[in-house]
Amino acid sequence: MIKIVNVSKKIRKTFVLENINYTFEQGKIYGIFGRNGSGKTMLLRTLAGLVVPSEGEVEIDGKKLHKDISFPPSIGVIIENMELLPQYDAFTNLEILSKIKKVATEKDIKETIKKVGLDPDSKLKVKKYSLGMKQRLNIAQALFEKPDILLMDEPTNAIDESGIKMVHDLLREERDRGATVLIASHLKEDISVLCDTTIKMRDGKLINE
Ligand SMILES: Nc1ncnc2c1ncn2[C@@H]1O[C@H](COP(=O)(O)OP(=O)(O)OP(=O)(O)O)[C@@H](O)[C@H]1O
Ligand SMILES: [Mg+2]
């Protein structure tokens, strides 16, 4: 469970997040939508522990971020401008990441790469991937350790039509195994079919629909 209590983030003189209160429950898909610049990415970065709020607190399963814990212990993230290692193939990228936590096996890695429609045995370096292929690998990177929390910023960016259906099915699968899934998008249509709950952001605030 993720609990946000009175969270604000001020950068210079502007509130990019303003007095946000919300609780995300386990086993649900939440859609966060709002126009460009409304604060979706900032909110996800804050929940990931990458941005420290100016006021308020984020609790992950009762533990306070930046007090009890530095980062959510079990989390998978896609955030804009993230970088895979271009000089390695897909399998090697995830294998390197897997050495940090040591929870995913070689089989987990290969299965996840297959699930996103890529070839786990391909030696093609990521620098030769198309945009959509990179995004698919980003998704695999977020999912492969079966985290409790998934923060997905515009997960279907650059993904083709059949790929979008695949991403939706994968995220439903994650929810059904009990993960809390948050998806940010500027297109409500993109996420409303998938989400159990949608919330809207405007000017750094959550708006009740
Ligand atoms: N590093 C930063 N320094 C100052 N302001 C920032 C910084 N990062 C984001 N902002 C501001 O915070 C606000 C929210 O940005 P954010 O990236 O969260 O929007 P978003 O909802 O994700 O938009 P998009 O749909 O374009 O991805 C914007 O006004 C942006 O200018
Ligand atoms: Mg964004």
Side-chain angles (χ1 to χ4, degrees):
M1 201 176 79
I2 309 169
K3 195 172 171 190
I4 309 175
V5 186
N6 296 326
V7 161
S8 295
K9 177 70 181 175
K10 205 173 178 180
I11 299 183
R12 283 170 225 111
K13 286 178 179 164
T14 317
F15 280 103
V16 293
L17 297 177
E18 192 170 347
N19 197 28
I20 296 191
N21 288 283
Y22 203 81
T23 299
F24 298 98
E25 287 162 21
Q26 205 192 324
K28 275 190 165 189
I29 302 180
Y30 293 87
I32 303 167
F33 76 101
R35 59 177 63 166
N36 296 141
S38 58
K40 305 178 298 292
T41 298
M42 195 54 77
L43 181 64
L44 294 187
R45 291 176 64 86
T46 304
L47 300 182
L50 300 170
V51 166
V52 184
S54 319
E55 286 165 51
E57 255 152 10
V58 176
E59 285 178 21
I60 310 286
D61 293 329
K63 298 213 168 81
K64 292 187 170 130
L65 267 188
H66 310 294
K67 294 208 174 83
D68 306 324
I69 48 175
S70 305
F71 297 101
S74 175
I75 193 169
V77 181
I78 296 185
I79 300 252
E80 56 194 42
N81 309 323
M82 54 184 285
E83 287 290 322
L84 297 154
L85 298 171
Q87 70 274 36
Y88 294 116
D89 60 42
F91 178 80
T92 309
N93 263 275
L94 299 199
E95 191 189 34
I96 289 169
L97 286 174
S98 75
K99 295 199 162 127
I100 301 170
K101 288 205 169 166
K102 303 188 172 68
V103 295
T105 62
E106 184 177 326
K107 185 163 164 266
D108 294 330
I109 296 173
K110 290 199 167 179
E111 276 178 7
T112 314
I113 294 173
K114 229 182 265 171
K115 269 192 188 172
V116 299
L118 297 172
D119 175 4
D121 299 315
S122 163
K123 296 289 167 234
L124 190 68
K125 292 175 178 164
V126 167
K127 67 179 171 198
K128 301 212 167 143
Y129 273 26
S130 70
L131 214 53
M133 289 167 77
K134 280 185 199 154
Q135 184 70 345
R136 284 168 187 252
L137 187 56
N138 279 332
I139 292 169
Q141 164 281 134
L143 303 186
F144 82 109
E145 291 178 316
K146 304 186 175 65
D148 297 343
I149 298 171
L150 279 165
L151 306 181
M152 312 295 275
D153 198 2
E154 317 272 358
T156 54
N157 263 3
I159 302 233
D160 57 32
E161 212 168 300
S162 67
I164 289 176
K165 190 185 173 306
M166 170 208 78
V167 173
H168 287 186
D169 288 343
L170 280 177
L171 293 178
R172 286 193 190 97
E173 227 178 86
E174 296 299 304
R175 173 205 45 207
D176 294 344
R177 72 165 174 79
T180 307
V181 183
L182 274 59
I183 304 165
S185 176
H186 54 274
L187 297 171
K188 191 175 183 188
E189 314 81 72
D190 179 32
I191 54 172
S192 58
V193 288
L194 176 66
C195 300
D196 302 303
T197 306
T198 56
I199 54 182
K200 187 172 182 183
M201 289 195 78
R202 188 191 294 151
D203 300 332
K205 297 190 265 293
L206 284 192
I207 312 262
N208 286 325
E209 283 275 284

